[in-house]
Amino acid sequence: MVPGPFDLSHAPPVGVAEAVAPGLRVVTAPNAGPMTFTGTRSYIVGEGEVAVIDPGPHDPRHLGALAAAVAGERVAAVLVTHAHRDHSAGARSFAEAVGAPVLAHGDPVGARSAAMARLAAAGGIGGGEGIDPGFRADRRIGEGEVVAGPGWTLTALATPGHTADHLSFAWAEGSALFSGDHVMGWATTLISPPDGDLGAFRASLVRLQGRREGVFYPGHGAPVGDPQGLIRHVLAHRAAREGEILAALARGPATVAGLVAEIYAAVDPALRGAAGRNVLAHLIDLGERSVAVAMGPPATGAWRLA
Ligand SMILES: [Zn+2]
Ligand SMILES: [Zn+2]
């Protein structure tokens, strides 16, 4: 484990608008948990005429707080980073309440790589945590799409990996990037195949290494004040994890469960399931690169070095 820059001290107010920066407010949802940290962060960009990013879970308390925060203002667009329920499930109700369109990639299954589509079709791979199958965008957007209002110009960046449909949004006036669940300051994100794709995640991180924004606003947790340092850390962390898996496989074939017991011996038992999904993501990535080979069903069978 690479010692990290993660900030676990975040303690945001829940259910009220919190001013984050000029022209930016956030309402934190009451859905804190092991996978959501202190709760989903629903961002309000602009003043008077605003964009809302990730309305969050379908929780009347949260959607009411978000609506109250924008009372008297016009919501021009509701943007969704990805179709996970903790970000997207409240989008439809909120958008209807404020009379705004929902803009998102909108097709997490169709966006999977050919390899992930094959794994999903073969069955037995598991995954699907948090996916919001009922989510629909009013307008599907993708790479390079610009959505703008007074004081905010938001450009969509395709950042697949956590999910295949994941978008980040660069905010030009704020010199900031809304990074969803792709880059967060409290933990490395869950990569659970077939929606999660470690190769795509790594490429999306490398892609953001060229960005000049001084701050990232993630889907969970505090603003990230050193995004480039965090990206370097996350890449190093994944490389270290891969090294641990390769070292274990060098001693002989192993299953996901066996690798979790060996590599994540100290982890909170509540996070073992997520650890298993991350290990599987690494194994599938190693398989794609012809470094490792599945000897049976990828999620339950043994893997060996190629
Ligand atoms: Zn997510
Ligand atoms: Zn999330």
Side-chain angles (χ1 to χ4, degrees), residues 35-36 40 82 84 86-87 162 180-181 184 219-220:
M35 302 308 297
T36 51
T40 304
H82 65 299
H84 269 165
D86 59 317
H87 299 255
H162 171 67
D181 285 1
M184 301 182 286
H220 308 271

Side-chain angles (χ1 to χ4, degrees), residues 18-118:
E18 174 193 349
V20 181
L24 181 63
R25 289 161 284 169
V26 65
V27 179
T28 301
N31 65 338
M35 302 308 297
T36 51
F37 189 39
T38 53
T40 304
R41 304 274 271 173
S42 297
Y43 293 98
I44 302 165
V45 191
E47 278 164 23
E49 183 178 332
V50 304
V52 170
I53 298 175
D54 283 351
H58 194 278
D59 180 322
R61 293 168 296 173
H62 179 59
L63 298 178
L66 198 53
V70 296
E73 300 178 271
R74 187 173 99 80
V75 180
V78 172
L79 296 125
V80 176
T81 57
H82 65 299
H84 269 165
R85 285 192 299 273
D86 59 317
H87 299 255
S88 61
R92 177 58 51 203
S93 307
F94 177 74
E96 281 177 3
V98 298
V102 176
L103 278 53
H105 177 292
D107 186 12
V109 171
R112 286 173 182 160
S113 71
M116 288 301 159
R118 270 197 308 279

Side-chain angles (χ1 to χ4, degrees), residues 70-277:
V70 296
E73 300 178 271
R74 187 173 99 80
V75 180
V78 172
L79 296 125
V80 176
T81 57
H82 65 299
H84 269 165
R85 285 192 299 273
D86 59 317
H87 299 255
S88 61
R92 177 58 51 203
S93 307
F94 177 74
E96 281 177 3
V98 298
V102 176
L103 278 53
H105 177 292
D107 186 12
V109 171
R112 286 173 182 160
S113 71
M116 288 301 159
R118 270 197 308 279
L119 278 170
I125 192 75
E129 306 84 350
I131 283 284
D132 184 0
F135 177 68
R136 298 286 178 275
D138 294 310
R139 183 152 73 85
R140 295 193 53 200
I141 59 172
E143 175 65 28
E145 189 101 16
V146 176
V147 184
W152 48 274
T153 308
L154 297 166
T155 304
L157 299 179
T159 46
H162 171 67
T163 57
D165 64 327
H166 195 288
L167 299 176
S168 299
F169 299 105
W171 177 28
E173 292 84 347
S175 189
L177 184 115
F178 297 93
S179 55
D181 285 1
H182 176 49
V183 178
M184 301 182 286
W186 68 283
T188 55
T189 197
L190 174 69
I191 308 284
S192 178
D195 298 300
D197 181 331
L198 186 62
F201 175 66
R202 200 185 283 116
S204 291
L205 287 173
V206 168
R207 190 181 171 205
L208 292 188
Q209 286 196 294
R211 305 292 307 183
R212 292 172 179 259
E213 288 86 0
V215 59
F216 283 10
Y217 296 114
H220 308 271
V224 176
D226 177 18
Q228 294 304 324
L230 180 61
I231 289 169
R232 279 193 300 278
H233 169 79
V234 172
L235 285 167
H237 167 80
R238 292 288 172 174
R241 192 65 86 203
E242 179 180 294
E244 290 172 331
I245 290 170
L246 290 174
L249 293 180
R251 293 190 284 276
T255 61
V256 168
L259 290 166
V260 169
E262 189 171 341
I263 297 169
Y264 289 84
V267 87
D268 179 346
L271 296 175
R272 284 272 163 84
R277 302 309 298 173

